[in-house]
Amino acid sequence: YAVPTPATLTRAVSNMETAYTDAAGRTLPDYTELGAGNIGGLTLRPGLYKWSSTVTIPTDVTLSGSPTDVWIFQIAQTLAISSGKQIILRDGAKAKNVFWQVAGQTTLGTTSKFKGILLCKTAIVIQNGATLNGRALAQTAVTLDANSITAPAF
């Protein structure tokens, strides 16, 4: 890798780790253990959400709030959205304000439509045809399979 790649890569990794640590270190959650980890079908307002378990999204989830509202999801295990399901943003909510801090692996099922910034301590697997409006940042690996990722406007 030629200059400036090494310095740029080192800075990017450091920034990702800082963001992960910041999201993980937030205290006083607004919601804990919501749905026992199954958030499918819910409409979620802005706030800090925390789970000590796996989080699954077997049906569409809606995030409803203004363009300046923020959602932070602290997940101690894995995150998975089922194939063909989606995160829906409503009432002005923006993907750039949604943070998914995941200690385990994140899996986006085939043709799912995900929104937000994924900050994973381990791996992110984006299966065939899944789309992401956000960022996929992992400390080990991001696996893509015929995917579309759109960086949200900042």
Coordinates of all heavy atoms in Angstrom, one line a residue, residues 37-39 51 53-58 61 73-82 87 98-109 114-120 122-125 132:
G37 N -35.6 -8.9 22.9 CA -34.7 -9.0 21.8 C -35.4 -9.2 20.4 O -34.7 -9.0 19.4
N38 N -36.7 -9.4 20.4 CA -37.4 -9.5 19.1 C -38.1 -8.1 18.9 O -39.1 -7.9 19.6 CB -38.4 -10.6 19.1 CG -39.2 -10.7 17.9 OD1 -39.3 -9.8 17.1 ND2 -39.8 -11.9 17.7
I39 N -37.6 -7.3 18.0 CA -38.2 -6.0 17.8 C -39.1 -5.9 16.6 O -39.5 -4.8 16.2 CB -37.2 -4.9 17.9 CG1 -36.1 -5.0 16.8 CG2 -36.5 -4.8 19.3 CD1 -35.2 -3.8 16.7
W51 N -29.8 -4.1 25.0 CA -30.1 -5.6 25.2 C -28.8 -6.3 25.6 O -27.7 -6.1 25.1 CB -30.6 -6.2 23.9 CG -31.9 -5.7 23.4 CD1 -33.1 -6.2 23.7 CD2 -32.1 -4.6 22.5 NE1 -34.1 -5.5 23.1 CE2 -33.5 -4.5 22.3 CE3 -31.3 -3.7 21.8 CZ2 -34.1 -3.5 21.5 CZ3 -31.9 -2.7 21.0 CH2 -33.3 -2.7 20.9
S53 N -28.9 -9.5 25.2 CA -29.1 -10.7 24.4 C -28.9 -10.4 22.9 O -28.6 -9.3 22.5 CB -30.5 -11.2 24.6 OG -31.5 -10.2 24.2
T54 N -29.3 -11.3 22.1 CA -29.4 -11.2 20.6 C -30.6 -10.4 20.3 O -31.6 -10.4 21.0 CB -29.5 -12.6 20.0 OG1 -28.2 -13.3 20.1 CG2 -29.9 -12.5 18.5
V55 N -30.5 -9.6 19.2 CA -31.7 -8.9 18.7 C -32.0 -9.4 17.3 O -31.2 -9.5 16.5 CB -31.4 -7.3 18.6 CG1 -32.5 -6.6 17.9 CG2 -31.3 -6.8 20.0
T56 N -33.3 -9.7 17.1 CA -33.8 -10.2 15.8 C -34.9 -9.3 15.3 O -35.6 -8.7 16.1 CB -34.4 -11.6 15.9 OG1 -35.5 -11.6 16.9 CG2 -33.3 -12.6 16.4
I57 N -34.9 -9.2 14.0 CA -35.9 -8.4 13.3 C -36.6 -9.3 12.3 O -36.2 -9.3 11.1 CB -35.3 -7.1 12.6 CG1 -34.5 -6.3 13.7 CG2 -36.3 -6.3 11.9 CD1 -33.6 -5.2 13.1
P58 N -37.6 -10.1 12.7 CA -38.3 -11.0 11.8 C -39.4 -10.3 10.9 O -39.8 -11.0 10.0 CB -38.9 -12.0 12.7 CG -39.1 -11.3 14.0 CD -38.1 -10.2 14.1
V61 N -39.5 -3.1 10.9 CA -39.4 -2.2 12.1 C -39.4 -0.7 11.6 O -38.8 -0.4 10.6 CB -38.1 -2.4 12.9 CG1 -37.8 -1.4 13.9 CG2 -38.1 -3.8 13.6
F73 N -28.6 1.8 19.5 CA -29.0 0.4 19.9 C -27.7 -0.3 20.3 O -26.8 -0.5 19.6 CB -29.6 -0.3 18.7 CG -30.9 0.3 18.1 CD1 -30.8 1.1 17.0 CD2 -32.1 0.1 18.8 CE1 -32.0 1.7 16.5 CE2 -33.2 0.8 18.3 CZ -33.2 1.6 17.2
Q74 N -27.7 -0.6 21.6 CA -26.6 -1.3 22.2 C -27.0 -2.8 22.3 O -27.9 -3.2 23.0 CB -26.2 -0.8 23.6 CG -25.8 0.6 23.7 CD -25.6 1.1 25.1 OE1 -26.3 0.6 26.0 NE2 -24.7 2.0 25.3
I75 N -26.3 -3.7 21.6 CA -26.6 -5.1 21.5 C -25.4 -5.9 22.0 O -24.4 -5.9 21.3 CB -27.1 -5.4 20.1 CG1 -28.2 -4.5 19.7 CG2 -27.4 -6.9 20.0 CD1 -28.6 -4.6 18.2
A76 N -25.6 -6.7 23.1 CA -24.5 -7.4 23.6 C -24.1 -8.7 22.9 O -23.0 -9.2 23.1 CB -24.8 -7.7 25.1
Q77 N -25.0 -9.2 22.1 CA -24.7 -10.4 21.3 C -24.8 -10.1 19.8 O -24.2 -9.2 19.3 CB -25.6 -11.5 21.8 CG -25.3 -11.9 23.2 CD -26.2 -13.0 23.7 OE1 -26.8 -13.8 23.0 NE2 -26.4 -13.1 25.0
T78 N -25.7 -10.8 19.1 CA -25.8 -10.7 17.6 C -27.0 -9.9 17.2 O -28.0 -9.7 18.0 CB -25.8 -12.0 16.9 OG1 -26.9 -12.7 17.4 CG2 -24.5 -12.8 17.3
L79 N -27.0 -9.4 16.0 CA -28.1 -8.7 15.4 C -28.4 -9.4 14.0 O -27.5 -9.6 13.2 CB -27.8 -7.2 15.1 CG -28.8 -6.4 14.3 CD1 -30.1 -6.3 14.9 CD2 -28.2 -5.0 14.0
A80 N -29.7 -9.7 13.8 CA -30.1 -10.3 12.5 C -31.4 -9.7 12.0 O -32.4 -9.7 12.8 CB -30.2 -11.8 12.6
I81 N -31.5 -9.4 10.8 CA -32.8 -9.0 10.1 C -33.1 -10.1 9.1 O -32.2 -10.5 8.3 CB -32.7 -7.6 9.5 CG1 -34.1 -7.2 8.9 CG2 -31.6 -7.5 8.5 CD1 -34.2 -5.7 8.5
S82 N -34.3 -10.5 9.1 CA -34.7 -11.6 8.2 C -34.8 -11.2 6.8 O -34.9 -10.0 6.5 CB -36.1 -12.1 8.6 OG -36.1 -12.7 9.9
I87 N -35.9 -1.9 7.7 CA -36.0 -0.8 8.7 C -36.6 0.4 7.9 O -36.1 0.8 6.9 CB -34.6 -0.4 9.2 CG1 -33.9 -1.6 9.8 CG2 -34.7 0.7 10.2 CD1 -34.5 -2.2 11.0
V98 N -28.9 6.9 13.1 CA -29.2 5.6 13.7 C -27.9 4.8 13.8 O -27.2 4.5 12.9 CB -30.2 4.9 12.8 CG1 -30.6 3.5 13.4 CG2 -31.5 5.7 12.6
F99 N -27.6 4.4 15.1 CA -26.4 3.7 15.4 C -26.7 2.3 16.0 O -27.3 2.3 17.0 CB -25.5 4.5 16.3 CG -25.1 5.9 15.7 CD1 -26.0 7.0 16.0 CD2 -24.0 6.0 15.0 CE1 -25.6 8.2 15.4 CE2 -23.7 7.2 14.4 CZ -24.5 8.3 14.6
W100 N -26.2 1.3 15.4 CA -26.3 -0.1 15.8 C -25.0 -0.6 16.3 O -24.1 -0.9 15.6 CB -26.8 -1.0 14.7 CG -28.1 -0.5 14.1 CD1 -28.2 0.4 13.1 CD2 -29.4 -1.0 14.4 NE1 -29.6 0.5 12.7 CE2 -30.3 -0.3 13.5 CE3 -29.9 -1.9 15.3 CZ2 -31.7 -0.5 13.5 CZ3 -31.3 -2.1 15.3 CH2 -32.2 -1.4 14.5
Q101 N -24.8 -0.6 17.7 CA -23.5 -1.0 18.3 C -23.7 -2.5 18.7 O -24.5 -2.8 19.5 CB -23.2 -0.1 19.5 CG -21.9 -0.6 20.2 CD -22.3 -1.5 21.4 OE1 -23.2 -1.2 22.2 NE2 -21.6 -2.5 21.5
V102 N -23.0 -3.4 18.0 CA -23.2 -4.8 18.1 C -21.9 -5.5 18.5 O -20.9 -5.4 17.9 CB -23.7 -5.4 16.8 CG1 -24.1 -6.9 17.0 CG2 -25.0 -4.6 16.3
A103 N -22.0 -6.2 19.7 CA -20.8 -6.9 20.1 C -20.5 -8.2 19.3 O -19.4 -8.6 19.2 CB -20.9 -7.3 21.6
G104 N -21.5 -8.8 18.8 CA -21.4 -10.0 18.0 C -21.5 -9.7 16.5 O -21.4 -8.6 16.1
Q105 N -21.8 -10.8 15.8 CA -22.0 -10.6 14.3 C -23.3 -10.0 14.0 O -24.3 -10.2 14.6 CB -21.9 -12.0 13.7 CG -22.1 -12.0 12.1 CD -21.8 -13.3 11.5 OE1 -20.7 -13.8 11.6 NE2 -22.8 -13.8 10.8
T106 N -23.4 -9.2 12.9 CA -24.6 -8.7 12.3 C -24.8 -9.4 11.0 O -23.9 -9.5 10.2 CB -24.5 -7.2 12.1 OG1 -24.4 -6.6 13.4 CG2 -25.7 -6.7 11.4
T107 N -26.1 -9.9 10.8 CA -26.4 -10.5 9.5 C -27.6 -9.8 8.9 O -28.7 -9.7 9.6 CB -26.7 -12.0 9.7 OG1 -25.6 -12.6 10.3 CG2 -27.0 -12.7 8.4
L108 N -27.5 -9.3 7.7 CA -28.6 -8.7 7.0 C -29.1 -9.8 6.0 O -28.3 -10.2 5.0 CB -28.2 -7.5 6.2 CG -27.5 -6.4 7.1 CD1 -27.3 -5.1 6.2 CD2 -28.3 -6.0 8.3
G109 N -30.3 -10.3 6.1 CA -30.8 -11.4 5.3 C -31.0 -11.0 3.8 O -31.0 -9.8 3.5
F114 N -31.8 -2.3 5.1 CA -31.4 -1.9 6.5 C -31.0 -0.4 6.4 O -30.4 0.1 5.4 CB -30.2 -2.7 6.9 CG -30.0 -2.8 8.4 CD1 -30.8 -3.6 9.2 CD2 -29.1 -1.9 9.0 CE1 -30.6 -3.7 10.6 CE2 -29.0 -1.9 10.4 CZ -29.7 -2.8 11.2
K115 N -31.2 0.3 7.6 CA -30.9 1.7 7.7 C -30.0 1.9 8.9 O -30.3 1.4 10.0 CB -32.1 2.6 7.8 CG -33.2 2.3 6.8 CD -32.9 2.9 5.4 CE -34.1 2.8 4.4 NZ -34.9 1.7 4.4
G116 N -29.0 2.7 8.8 CA -28.2 3.1 10.0 C -26.7 2.7 9.8 O -26.3 2.1 8.9
I117 N -26.0 3.2 10.8 CA -24.6 2.9 10.9 C -24.3 1.7 11.8 O -24.7 1.7 13.0 CB -23.8 4.1 11.6 CG1 -24.3 5.5 11.0 CG2 -22.3 4.0 11.5 CD1 -24.1 5.7 9.6
L118 N -23.8 0.7 11.2 CA -23.5 -0.6 11.9 C -22.0 -0.5 12.4 O -21.1 -0.3 11.6 CB -23.6 -1.8 10.9 CG -25.0 -2.2 10.5 CD1 -24.9 -3.2 9.3 CD2 -25.7 -2.8 11.7
L119 N -21.9 -0.6 13.7 CA -20.6 -0.6 14.4 C -20.5 -1.9 15.1 O -21.0 -2.1 16.2 CB -20.5 0.5 15.4 CG -20.7 2.0 14.9 CD1 -21.0 2.9 16.1 CD2 -19.5 2.4 14.1
C120 N -19.7 -2.9 14.5 CA -19.7 -4.2 15.0 C -18.3 -4.6 15.5 O -17.3 -4.3 14.8 CB -20.1 -5.2 13.9 SG -21.8 -5.1 13.5
T122 N -17.3 -7.6 15.9 CA -16.9 -8.8 15.1 C -17.2 -8.5 13.6 O -16.8 -7.6 13.1 CB -17.5 -10.1 15.6 OG1 -18.9 -10.1 15.6 CG2 -17.0 -10.4 17.1
A123 N -18.0 -9.4 13.0 CA -18.2 -9.4 11.6 C -19.6 -8.9 11.2 O -20.6 -9.0 12.0 CB -18.0 -10.8 11.0
I124 N -19.7 -8.4 10.0 CA -21.0 -8.0 9.3 C -21.1 -8.9 8.1 O -20.2 -8.9 7.2 CB -21.0 -6.5 9.0 CG1 -20.9 -5.6 10.2 CG2 -22.3 -6.2 8.2 CD1 -20.7 -4.2 9.9
V125 N -22.2 -9.6 7.9 CA -22.5 -10.4 6.8 C -23.7 -9.8 6.1 O -24.8 -9.8 6.7 CB -22.7 -11.9 7.1 CG1 -23.1 -12.7 5.9 CG2 -21.4 -12.4 7.8
L132 N -28.1 -1.5 2.1 CA -27.9 -0.7 3.4 C -27.8 0.7 3.0 O -27.0 1.1 2.2 CB -26.5 -1.2 4.0 CG -26.0 -0.4 5.2 CD1 -26.9 -0.4 6.4 CD2 -24.6 -0.9 5.6

